[in-house]
């Protein structure tokens, strides 16, 4: 009987560990894609800046050694090219990458209360019990969602961003991938902390 | 910041020169720059295919059948010999071990049972 209880607890803990592992993998995947885009954006900006500086310098030199009308044309065209190259670096959002996640663990949390199809049944029930949250007033799901809204979306979320992050994926910018990674890490911490709830029960079973 | 200053300086210098030459050219260039700055004209998507496939999805679906753990009629554990708090009672209920735990308490209370084979 004791063995049966022990094995049931072990199975529940395995489910928590499995979800935490998936979240860990998803977080790393998001970070990897974000780093890839950050690298591309940074390389592009560096090349454009160098190009702008070189064109500017050449324009100045060419302007100094040429005569009046040619000097003006070189000055204008060189200045415009240099300004254009500089203007191309002013791209706050940068490049995009195709990033999909049909099995999205963030979706069920965001659509709190709806039927769950992404989590093991036991984990989902734990997340929906007020008893397992620190203050006991709200469920873990509500608590996670309110933290996301406050710290990741500044109180409100854009419709397109919501569709991207909590849907099946699509074209992600680096900024969106960093947001996704941060949300996944917070969720992973919450899932891992559920293990603490087993300690008193396990010690009780052990003492019998 | 240095980039922005440099950019503005070059832009203003060029505009000043053009303005001195011909006002129509200036207008044409401004319109051209405005049109070229449209985001929709730039293809900013990468061709990388690696992130289309989600390798983090579990190969075998999770146990999601409702009621696998949970008991339909959980045993009340509040009267057992060892006091079990509300938190642990709820956990036992979710794990579906209330009846087993209650039985375990009773076995302990009654003392060890000896089975004799005849």
């Amino acid at each position: 009987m004791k063995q049966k209880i022990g094995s049931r607890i072990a199975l529940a803990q395995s489910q928590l560990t499995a979800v935490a592992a998936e979240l860990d993998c998803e977080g790393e995947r998001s970070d990897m894609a974000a780093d890839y885009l950050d690298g591309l954006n940074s390389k592009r900006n560096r090349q454009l800046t160098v190009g702008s500086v070189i064109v500017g310098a050449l324009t100045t030199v060419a302007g100094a050694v040429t005569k009046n009308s040619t000097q003006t044309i070189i000055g204008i065209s060189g200045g415009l090219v240099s300004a254009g190259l500089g203007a191309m670096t002013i791209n706050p959002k940068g490049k995009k990458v195709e990033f999909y996640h049909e099995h999205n663990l963030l979706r069920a949390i965001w659509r709190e209360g709806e039927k769950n199809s992404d989590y093991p049944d036991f984990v989902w029930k734990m997340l929906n019990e007020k008893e397992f949250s620190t203050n006991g007033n709200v469920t873990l799901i509500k608590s996670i969602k309110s933290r996301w809204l406050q710290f990741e979306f500044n109180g409100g979320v854009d419709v397109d961003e919501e569709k991207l992050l909590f849907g099946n994926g699509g074209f992600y910018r680096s900024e969106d991938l960093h947001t996704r990674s941060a949300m996944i890490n917070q969720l992973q911490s919450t899932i891992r902390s559920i293990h603490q709830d087993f300690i008193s029960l396990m010690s009780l079973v052990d003492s019998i | 910041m240095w980039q922005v200053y440099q950019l503005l300086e070059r832009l203003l210098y060029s505009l000043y020169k053009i303005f001195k030459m011909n006002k129509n050219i200036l207008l044409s260039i401004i319109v051209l720059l405005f049109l070229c700055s449209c985001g929709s004209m730039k293809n900013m998507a990468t061709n990388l295919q690696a992130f289309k496939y989600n390798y983090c999805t579990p190969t075998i679906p999770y146990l999601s059948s409702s009621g696998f753990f949970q008991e339909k009629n959980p045993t009340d554990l509040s009267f057992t010999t060892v006091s079990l708090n509300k938190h642990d009672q709820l956990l036992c209920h979710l794990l579906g071990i209330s009846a087993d735990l209650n039985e375990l308490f009773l076995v302990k209370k009654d003392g060890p049972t000896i089975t004799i084979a005849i």
Side-chain angles (χ1 to χ4, degrees), chain A residues 105-197:
Chain A
L105 291 170
L106 302 182
R107 175 171 37 215
I109 305 289
W110 188 254
R111 298 172 186 173
E112 44 173 326
E114 279 185 28
K115 201 184 170 187
N116 155 57
S117 58
D118 297 320
Y119 289 83
D121 198 45
F122 169 73
V123 177
W124 186 246
K125 284 198 169 81
M126 290 290 280
L127 290 170
N128 273 293
E129 279 292 344
K130 288 180 183 175
E131 187 68 36
F132 300 115
S133 70
T134 312
N135 57 18
N137 295 325
V138 288
T139 62
L140 287 168
I141 287 178
K142 279 193 188 298
S143 173
I144 297 164
K145 193 182 171 182
S146 68
R147 280 204 301 274
W148 287 351
L149 273 168
Q150 192 179 352
F151 299 111
E152 302 301 331
F153 302 116
N154 293 320
V157 59
D158 178 44
V159 179
D160 291 335
E161 197 179 11
E162 185 179 353
K163 205 176 167 186
L164 183 72
L165 289 165
F166 305 108
N168 291 340
F171 284 90
Y172 269 85
R173 292 185 192 278
S174 169
E175 194 186 335
D176 300 321
L177 286 164
H178 283 299
T179 305
R180 180 172 168 78
S181 173
M183 286 195 293
I184 284 172
N185 282 339
Q186 286 163 30
L187 181 58
Q188 192 195 155
S189 308
T190 304
I191 299 279
R192 282 195 196 281
S193 69
I194 295 176
H195 280 283
Q196 295 165 353
D197 291 294

Side-chain angles (χ1 to χ4, degrees), chain B residues 51-100:
Chain B
F51 295 109
K52 279 186 174 180
Y53 163 68
N54 186 358
Y55 51 81
C56 297
T57 306
T59 47
I60 301 165
Y62 294 132
L63 294 171
S64 56
S65 57
S66 183
F68 179 78
F69 276 176
Q70 204 170 349
E71 298 156 314
K72 284 177 184 166
N73 301 306
T75 309
D76 186 8
L77 290 163
S78 55
F79 302 111
T80 50
T81 46
V82 181
S83 58
L84 208 63
N85 59 35
K86 196 184 162 194
H87 173 275
D88 286 349
Q89 277 191 53
L90 182 60
L91 188 57
C92 286
H93 170 48
L94 291 177
L95 288 166
I97 56 170
S98 301
D100 294 320

Side-chain angles (χ1 to χ4, degrees), chain A residues 1 4-5 8 11-12 15 18-19 22 25-26 29 32-33 36 40 49 52-53 56 72 76 79-80 82-83 86-87 89-91 95-101 103 118 120-122 125-126 129 131-132 171 197 200-201 204-205 208, chain B residues 2-3 6-7 10-11 13-14 17-18 21 29 33 43-46 48-49 51-58 62-70 82 84-88 90-92 94-97 100-101 103-105 107-108:
Chain A
M1 207 175 295
K4 189 185 169 188
I5 294 169
R8 188 57 67 88
L11 182 58
Q15 294 194 354
V19 175
E22 187 184 343
C25 178
E26 265 296 318
R29 184 171 163 251
M32 192 161 66
Y36 170 75
L40 282 185
T49 308
S52 174
V53 170
T72 313
I76 292 165
L80 281 173
S82 180
T89 63
I90 306 169
N91 181 21
K95 284 183 175 284
K96 290 177 184 174
V97 69
E98 265 188 291
F99 191 93
Y100 292 103
H101 36 69
H103 192 253
D118 297 320
D121 198 45
F122 169 73
K125 284 198 169 81
M126 290 290 280
E129 279 292 344
E131 187 68 36
F132 300 115
F171 284 90
D197 291 294
S200 72
L201 180 66
L204 180 76
V205 172
I208 299 171
Chain B
W2 173 81
Q3 259 178 281
Q6 203 180 35
L7 176 72
R10 280 182 196 150
L11 200 64
Y13 177 73
S14 301
K17 289 267 188 178
I18 295 164
M21 282 175 71
I29 287 171
L33 283 173
N43 181 20
M44 295 300 284
T46 59
L48 193 72
Q49 306 290 305
F51 295 109
K52 279 186 174 180
Y53 163 68
N54 186 358
Y55 51 81
C56 297
T57 306
Y62 294 132
L63 294 171
S64 56
S65 57
S66 183
F68 179 78
F69 276 176
Q70 204 170 349
V82 181
L84 208 63
N85 59 35
K86 196 184 162 194
H87 173 275
D88 286 349
L90 182 60
L91 188 57
C92 286
L94 291 177
L95 288 166
I97 56 170
D100 294 320
L101 198 63
E103 214 172 316
L104 198 64
F105 280 134
V107 168
K108 193 198 175 188

